[in-house]
Amino acid sequence: MHDKPLSKFTGRLVRRRPGVSRPAPERVGPDTYGLDEDKTLRFAADRLGPEEEQRLAEEVAEILPLGWSLSPRAKERLYTVSSHLGGEPQLLDWLDRHPGLPRLTARLTAMTGNLDRYSDDPSVVEAVRAARAGGALPAELEELLPPQTDEETLSDLAYRIDSLLFERRTGDAARLALTAADWLRTAARQAPSRSPMLDEMAEFMAHLHEDVRQAGAAV
């Protein structure tokens, strides 16, 4: 992410809070999704060439949004890749080093994870509430978010992006993320009071907007 590496923000990601993802009943993926076993094992043994590693990164990006809908075998292979890299934050950093779908997926995943984290901060909730009261909410977000602003508002937005990724509507997910990032950056900068989390969110959303735009153009 140009002068601000993705690791600055993925390193702070926390696991989704219970109930955040709220998977819909139809979110049941087929059991055929997975990673190529041979490439996975050779990657874990550091015996994969650049071209094959790019393809593996594309496969990981394709299945990462499917989450609990993956078959046990697919989860096991994804865990093998993630463990070899050092964990989930390092997995996103690795995807970000591969152009196309892997990079875009990494940046959108970083956004949704941090939206959940920002939801826990009262100053962020107040800033979002103030921005909505000022009538600054884009029409696209107005149609998606519940009227009431509370600690679930940003998690709802993260869920919408996650859902689009799950449905393989990556372009729509990127467009929603760009709209949300621009609005949240403005909300944070115009908040009635300041806080470290608001300053961080404003910085993150500013860089993320440009980075998602660049990554999306290559997909």
Side-chain angles (χ1 to χ4, degrees):
M1 299 177 90
H2 34 113
D3 64 326
K4 297 295 181 182
L6 190 68
S7 58
K8 176 180 175 66
F9 298 99
T10 58
R12 298 173 182 173
L13 291 179
V14 296
R15 293 189 179 275
R16 311 299 283 272
R17 299 196 309 275
V20 162
S21 60
R22 296 188 300 281
E26 67 271 15
R27 298 185 82 183
V28 179
D31 197 53
T32 56
Y33 288 123
L35 305 177
D36 180 82
E37 183 176 17
D38 178 64
K39 282 203 295 288
T40 300
L41 294 177
R42 285 192 289 120
F43 177 75
D46 293 318
R47 293 192 292 108
L48 211 58
E51 291 186 5
E52 287 187 301
E53 183 173 323
Q54 173 67 28
R55 180 53 195 150
L56 180 64
E58 291 168 358
E59 291 178 3
V60 170
E62 288 171 355
I63 73 166
L64 191 63
L66 303 182
W68 291 107
S69 297
L70 293 172
S71 68
R73 181 172 296 181
K75 291 179 187 177
E76 180 181 345
R77 292 176 185 173
L78 181 59
Y79 177 77
T80 297
V81 174
S82 179
S83 296
H84 179 65
L85 292 166
E88 293 179 20
Q90 291 80 6
L91 177 66
L92 294 189
D93 291 338
W94 175 73
L95 288 174
D96 193 58
R97 295 196 295 270
H98 293 82
L101 182 62
R103 181 169 293 160
L104 180 57
T105 300
R107 294 174 180 187
L108 293 175
T109 302
M111 180 177 188
T112 58
N114 277 285
L115 283 175
D116 285 335
R117 190 167 64 88
Y118 295 144
S119 292
D120 290 331
D121 190 275
S123 68
V124 171
V125 176
E126 271 308 308
V128 172
R129 184 178 288 118
R132 295 188 75 174
L137 187 65
E140 183 179 0
L141 300 184
E142 189 76 61
E143 296 172 357
L144 293 177
L145 297 177
Q148 183 177 358
T149 301
D150 55 24
E151 63 276 3
E152 295 298 322
T153 299
L154 295 190
S155 291
D156 285 335
L157 185 53
Y159 172 69
R160 298 288 184 175
I161 296 172
D162 278 342
S163 296
L164 292 171
L165 286 174
F166 180 89
E167 295 165 5
R168 298 185 181 274
R169 295 167 58 188
T170 311
D172 291 337
R175 284 186 285 274
L176 178 56
L178 288 172
T179 300
D182 186 54
W183 178 67
L184 290 172
R185 172 186 56 191
T186 301
R189 289 176 175 173
Q190 296 180 352
S193 59
R194 308 307 311 157
S195 77
M197 190 65 86
L198 276 174
D199 292 339
E200 180 197 302
M201 186 172 79
E203 177 193 11
F204 176 55
M205 293 301 165
H207 285 282
L208 186 81
H209 186 278
E210 178 61 17
D211 290 338
V212 169
R213 185 193 66 78
Q214 291 179 356
V219 175

